[in-house]
Amino acid sequence: MATIELGPGDGRLLVRTGRSGLGRRAGHDLVIEAARWSGTVTLAGDDLAGAAAEGSSVRITVPVDGLEVREGTGGVLPLSDQDRAEITANLRKVLQADRFPEITFRSTGIRGTAAEFTVEGELTVMGRTEPLSVRAAGGDRVTGEATVKQTRWGIKPYSAFFGALKLADDVRVTFDLDVRPG
C-alpha cells in the first residue's frame, strides 16, 4: 500500500466557467484556480498500476477562500484586477465561505486501468454532498475532468443585468497532477 500526499506544488486544480443568457457577450468565461488545496491518494498496491484496485482512494480538500480568478476570456472589455476582486468576493459570498469554508471530494470507487480510469465519489459543496464521476488518464502525471452542475449542489448560478447575463449552470473542473510517490 502506498500513500501520496498532494498539494499545489504537485499540479493545478482549475474551475472553468461559461456564460449564458442574452447578455453573454458582455461577460467573461473564467478560469478559477484552487491556489490552496490538499489531497491524499491511497493506492491498494505499491504503484499507480494498482490505482483501480479495491482499497485505493482519493480525498481532496479545497478551502473556498483559496479559489482565485486567474483568467477571463471573451467579454466586451478585458478582465481587470478590480473585476477579479469583485468576482472573488462574489464567489465567496455565493459559496457561503463563512458557513462552509471547504469543498471536499472523497472517492467511493475507482475503476479502469492506470492509463485511463474513472473515480466515483462524493463532492461536498456548501454542506451538500452529491455523487460525482471524475474521468482521468495518465501515469506519473494524471489529467482529468468532471462537470459540476451548480444547481445540483444548491448553488444559484451568478447572474447580472436582471438575468440577461448568467453564469452557465455547468462548470468544468480540470486537473493536471504529478502523482509520483515520494
Side-chain angles (χ1 to χ4, degrees):
M1 185 161 272
T3 300
I4 304 165
E5 299 292 331
L6 299 171
D10 299 302
R12 297 180 83 188
L13 297 175
L14 303 174
V15 177
R16 299 172 185 276
T17 71
R19 302 161 281 164
S20 67
L22 295 173
R24 67 181 164 270
R25 291 184 184 183
H28 297 91
D29 292 328
L30 301 174
V31 175
I32 300 166
E33 182 170 12
R36 292 186 298 113
W37 61 276
S38 61
T40 304
V41 177
T42 302
L43 303 173
D46 292 331
D47 60 20
L48 292 172
E54 189 172 326
S56 293
S57 65
V58 176
R59 183 167 179 86
I60 303 290
T61 301
V62 177
V64 173
D65 67 1
L67 296 171
E68 297 180 7
V69 177
R70 295 292 188 210
E71 295 174 34
T73 57
V76 176
L77 299 171
L79 192 67
S80 69
D81 289 341
Q82 181 178 347
D83 293 333
R84 280 182 177 73
E86 287 175 16
I87 292 167
T88 298
N90 237 348
L91 176 65
R92 292 177 181 158
K93 182 179 175 183
V94 166
L95 294 178
Q96 300 177 38
D98 55 334
R99 290 185 56 211
F100 306 103
E102 294 180 335
I103 297 169
T104 60
F105 176 80
R106 182 183 63 81
S107 67
T108 56
I110 303 172
R111 66 180 193 285
T113 66
E116 196 170 299
F117 54 96
T118 299
V119 179
E120 299 294 340
E122 298 175 333
L123 179 66
T124 302
V125 180
M126 292 175 34
R128 185 171 182 172
T129 302
E130 296 287 340
L132 182 69
S133 292
V134 180
R135 296 170 310 284
D140 289 343
R141 287 205 79 77
V142 173
T143 60
E145 68 178 54
T147 299
V148 174
K149 184 176 283 297
Q150 297 179 80
T151 52
R152 195 165 150 210
W153 278 267
I155 301 166
K156 182 179 180 201
Y158 176 79
S159 67
F161 307 116
F162 304 103
L165 170 63
K166 296 186 240 179
L167 187 66
D169 196 7
D170 286 352
V171 297
R172 200 166 52 106
V173 179
T174 64
F175 56 89
D176 180 355
L177 307 171
D178 182 347
V179 295
R180 288 177 286 199

